[in-house]
Amino acid sequence: MTTVRGARARARDEVTAAIKDEARRQLAAEGAAKLSLRAVARELGMVSSALYRYFPSRDDLLTALIVDAYDALGAAAEAALRATSPAASSAGAPAAAPVTSGTGAPTATRATPGAGASAASPGPAAPGAPATPGAPPTPGASDPAGPQVTPRGRWVVVCRAVREWAKAHPHEYALIYGSPVPGYSAPQATVAPASRAAHVLLAVLREAHRADGVAPPPLAADLRAEGERLAAELAPDLPPALVLAFVGAWCQLFGLVSFEVFGHFHRVVEDPEAFFTHAADRLGRDLGLLR
């Protein structure tokens, strides 16, 4: 009986994967707004009623694709950060533990991301994924695959990993950071996956803060309440000025990535690789990362 259940589970996983693969193909061809369960079923040679047993509605399928995209982006960021740690200096090093809050436990979140939504407020971190190749050296940092990379160098390495994933998966990136899908409202299940990449960058700041390697900009009087609220919700172990600056840097990071992925740098920036690396380094400097 156990063997039968295992075979059924494998078969269900295979069909689910095929449905999502076809849905991603349709995203690339038609966009998220035109995603149709009937069209997916037709391309797979399934009757619609059979597909509904896997995804009861278009929104359920969209949510699965959104979660997969956020998780893939988060995994790329986590792998990049692992590649800068001393343990990563030898090939095949074991994966690091998931990035969590400063207390070692997942943090709370109030944002609910969705297709085309802005980056969610950092929430519970999710487990890591297999490592991907590390990024090249960054300004002012040693080799990111070695143990001596600086905090700002690690920040840039993770930012580059975000950009590289987005460039390699433009349609999935558009699903989570492009225009909202009409009629779709993302459920709470998308919040933790959306927070993974943010947690990685917060981990860089947290490490620098513990080592007295960050001097955040002054907190303006009219933003003190906002900074204190954000710090209490997102990273209670970090100064409000640093958390507030991080939120601004997070928005600027995805602005840089979106401009490139959506073609807004065409005939403007001729060397996007160097431009992005130096812009990400500047974000780290503006955050107060000293080296």
Side-chain angles (χ1 to χ4, degrees):
M1 184 64 71
T2 301
T3 301
V4 172
R5 283 200 299 269
R8 287 175 179 170
R10 287 193 297 273
R12 184 175 182 85
D13 289 345
E14 290 173 1
V15 174
T16 299
I19 292 170
K20 291 196 287 188
D21 285 345
E22 174 57 28
R24 292 188 188 98
R25 190 195 67 77
Q26 290 192 20
L27 285 179
E30 304 288 343
K34 294 185 178 180
L35 181 64
S36 162
L37 288 184
R38 290 183 180 275
V40 171
R42 182 172 60 250
E43 291 298 322
L44 293 177
M46 299 173 64
V47 296
S48 298
S49 58
L51 191 146
Y52 289 135
R53 291 200 293 269
Y54 294 85
F55 296 99
S57 69
R58 182 210 66 161
D59 285 5
D60 290 308
L61 179 54
L62 267 178
T63 295
L65 297 177
I66 289 166
V67 168
D68 284 354
Y70 276 132
D71 274 336
L73 173 60
E78 291 162 0
L81 184 63
R82 286 197 299 270
T84 70
S85 67
S89 58
S90 59
V99 180
T100 58
S101 70
T103 62
T107 57
T109 182
R110 57 178 176 77
T112 303
S118 300
S121 300
T132 55
T138 60
S142 58
D143 182 357
Q148 302 302 318
V149 70
T150 65
R152 196 163 70 242
R154 301 185 85 194
W155 168 274
V156 175
V157 166
V158 174
C159 289
R160 286 171 56 91
V162 169
R163 170 183 178 262
E164 288 159 8
W165 182 89
K167 288 183 60 184
H169 305 87
H171 302 294
E172 292 169 74
Y173 180 83
L175 179 63
I176 54 178
Y177 288 112
S179 299
V181 179
Y184 175 80
S185 179
Q188 188 70 15
T190 59
V191 173
S195 305
R196 288 178 65 171
H199 267 285
V200 177
L201 290 171
L202 279 172
V204 174
L205 297 184
R206 186 170 286 116
E207 177 184 330
H209 175 63
R210 289 171 177 166
D212 294 325
V214 60
L219 184 58
D222 59 341
L223 288 176
R224 181 164 301 280
E226 182 74 3
E228 291 174 351
R229 180 187 61 79
L230 285 170
E233 292 187 10
L234 307 182
D237 57 325
L238 294 178
L242 183 57
V243 176
L244 189 66
F246 166 76
V247 173
W250 175 254
C251 296
Q252 292 177 71
L253 167 62
F254 279 88
L256 286 165
V257 173
S258 294
F259 259 60
E260 184 174 358
V261 171
F262 299 145
H264 298 300
F265 282 158
H266 180 60
R267 300 182 67 179
V268 177
V269 176
E270 295 185 353
D271 188 349
E273 185 86 13
F275 179 83
F276 180 87
T277 298
H278 284 273
D281 184 70
R282 172 54 61 186
L283 288 178
R285 290 176 184 270
D286 291 345
L287 278 167
L289 289 171
L290 301 180
R291 56 188 179 86

